[in-house]
Amino acid sequence: MRIGFVTGEYPPLQGGVGAFTHELARALVEQHHAIYVLTDHRVPSGSVDAIHVEGRVQGWNRASLFAVRHWAQVNRLDVVNLQYEAAAFQMAQLVHLMPRLLGAIPTITTFHDLLVPYLFPKAGSLRFRALLALARASDGVIVTNAPDEQRLRAEGELKRLCNIPIGSNIAVDLPPGYDRAAWRAKLRIPTEATLVGYFGFINASKGVDTLLEALAQVTNTHLLMIGGRTGSSDPTNQQAADEIDRLIAGLGLQSRVQWVGFVEGQQVSANLIACDMLALPYRDGVSLRRGSFMAALAHSCAIITTHPDGDLPEVQDRVQALLVPPNSPQALAAAIRELAADPALRESLQTNAGILAERFTWDHIAAQTAAFYRDSIGA
């Protein structure tokens, strides 16, 4: 098939949706599909990994929608997959009209979440009505988690709907000659200290403030902040990061918190493996739509995270992860202490995380996605 992706972000821009699109595109190329990407003007145009990228959209307005149609026609696309996430498209409402403008070309919309964005917290039902209109206009809808699937299926009037989870945006790829003890020494982590890792951007949904308040209650423990601070799409992330800086200073944690920053994949893998555990205290609960959680699974990390908001049978407490209530520094601190003192529990969580990750490989995700494309085109 000749498959087109329309996305508001794409590497080298930092963001989970862009990284997801790149990984899915690479996996589809390996399955002998031709892949075309139309994205933001800050992304260099060209062919990398046999993916044809055009980075030329200045703003997601009426002109850009007609540009999408022209791009799809020129490249003779069989299907266009809109990778939808509000912040990545700069909150542009006209993006919701894209399936109608593409006409005869089948349009699939992947919703990376149905949440009210922190950019526009008062959007409420208006935001969901706009998403529902986009879903109903699309020839097919892909969601990345069961709660979103249940919500859209309850609304009805969709042509077809499929739940395909995301995979890890960070492959397990350690630097040559990697030595965990030497890497920790390079990070200046005391030999006897517990190293807790955090992976992902800083935004209001991630619970980083809860993690810092928990850290202040646990002695002989250091925190490694892995990944870029704010990403390229959501401007509220910078405000959240500034607040975190003030909280670190207020709690007197400057000597125990280290920022790695945005680094290449091998460096991310090395830092994840160097940690004794990973803490991901999402305010809205753990979910399979979280790329940081999927990366932690792929790296067989011992994970502490928050109880899911709804059913998530894949993740059981004390099996795949140690689960705590959201917004509870006391519970998170207790979990860190317990995991630091129990090597057997850490090893069990690591093993089970790796087993679960095998269900979310990119070749499997790409095959599911391609099959859904074919169904939509055939219909």
Side-chain angles (χ1 to χ4, degrees), residues 35-70:
I35 305 298
Y36 299 82
V37 176
L38 183 65
T39 188
D40 188 278
H41 67 99
R42 293 170 291 174
V43 177
S45 296
S47 295
V48 180
D49 298 329
I51 303 165
H52 309 288
V53 179
E54 290 190 43
R56 58 185 174 90
V57 178
Q58 296 282 342
W60 296 98
N61 49 31
R62 183 178 297 274
S64 71
L65 296 189
F66 286 104
V68 170
R69 184 166 68 180
H70 178 72

Side-chain angles (χ1 to χ4, degrees), residues 218-240:
V218 184
T219 59
N220 199 30
T221 302
H222 288 241
L223 175 63
L224 189 65
M225 304 293 287
I226 306 168
R229 282 165 59 93
T230 60
S232 301
S233 296
D234 190 340
T236 65
N237 287 357
Q238 185 58 57
Q239 179 183 348

Side-chain angles (χ1 to χ4, degrees), residues 27 74 81 119 124 145 149 193 205 216 218-219 238 244 270 273 340 374:
V74 166
N81 189 178
L119 282 166
N145 58 91
E149 179 186 13
S205 72
V218 184
T219 59
Q238 185 58 57
I244 290 303
I273 298 296
R374 291 190 189 96

Side-chain angles (χ1 to χ4, degrees), residues 129-178:
R129 286 200 300 272
L131 295 184
L132 190 57
L134 172 58
R136 287 171 173 167
S138 301
D139 294 285
V141 171
I142 297 173
V143 293
T144 62
N145 58 91
D148 285 355
E149 179 186 13
Q150 293 163 5
R151 188 174 185 189
L152 285 180
R153 207 172 285 284
E155 295 293 338
E157 300 182 35
L158 273 65
K159 296 181 179 71
R160 54 195 59 82
L161 173 64
C162 185
N163 176 11
I164 304 176
I166 69 172
S168 170
N169 296 334
I170 304 295
V172 181
D173 182 20
L174 292 170
Y178 176 76

